[in-house]
Amino acid sequence: MEAKAIVTDTYLDPIEISSHLKNVDYIIMAADAPSHFKDTPIHFTIFLNTSEKFPKDVQEAILDKFLDEQGIDKPAELMSQLMPVGFGKSSQDTPMPLLLVRPQDQQSIPYEVMFVMDFLADSDNFFEAKNENLTGWSYTYTP
C-alpha cells in the first residue's frame, strides 16, 4: 500500500487553535530530511506550547531532555525561536502543526506563536520518518 500525501487545505481558526492547545504541553514532528543529509536523516520539529523566549542555557537543557527521552542522536542545523504555527485539518486524528515561514502564509493562515526547535538528527525510534519517508507528529498533554 502506497502512502498518500497529507492534504491540509483547511486550518483551525484562532478560537479552535486556543481550544485545541488548552492542555497541550508540546508537539513533536518527524519527517524525512533532504537526502544529502546522510548522518541526520530525520527532520525534527518540537513545538512547545508557550510564547516564552528561553535563554540559551534553558534551550540547551530542553533540547537535551528531548534527545534523551526520544533516543535522538547527532542533532545538527538547530534553529530555536518563537515562530507562528498554524494547524491544518486533515484525515489524521490531530491537526498537523505547520511552521509558517512565508509572510503570505502568516497573512492567510490563522496561527499561534509558539517556541519552536527545528533540527536534523538521527534516531531508530522514528522508523517511519527515517526509512519510509513518512511525516508524523505526536501531541503530549499536561496531566
Side-chain angles (χ1 to χ4, degrees), residues 65-106:
K65 179 180 187 278
F66 275 101
L67 298 177
D68 289 345
E69 286 180 358
Q70 303 292 335
I72 300 171
D73 299 316
K74 300 186 244 178
E77 309 288 329
L78 175 66
M79 179 279 299
S80 56
Q81 64 188 47
L82 292 173
M83 291 288 295
V85 179
F87 293 88
K89 297 178 182 180
S90 70
S91 61
Q92 305 302 312
D93 291 342
T94 54
M96 178 179 182
L98 305 160
L99 206 53
L100 303 179
V101 178
R102 300 179 333 172
Q104 60 266 41
D105 290 340
Q106 295 172 17

Side-chain angles (χ1 to χ4, degrees), residues 49-67:
N49 190 12
T50 182
S51 58
E52 183 179 341
K53 186 168 183 173
F54 298 108
K56 197 83 170 144
D57 60 332
V58 174
Q59 291 179 33
E60 290 170 4
I62 291 169
L63 180 63
D64 287 345
K65 179 180 187 278
F66 275 101
L67 298 177

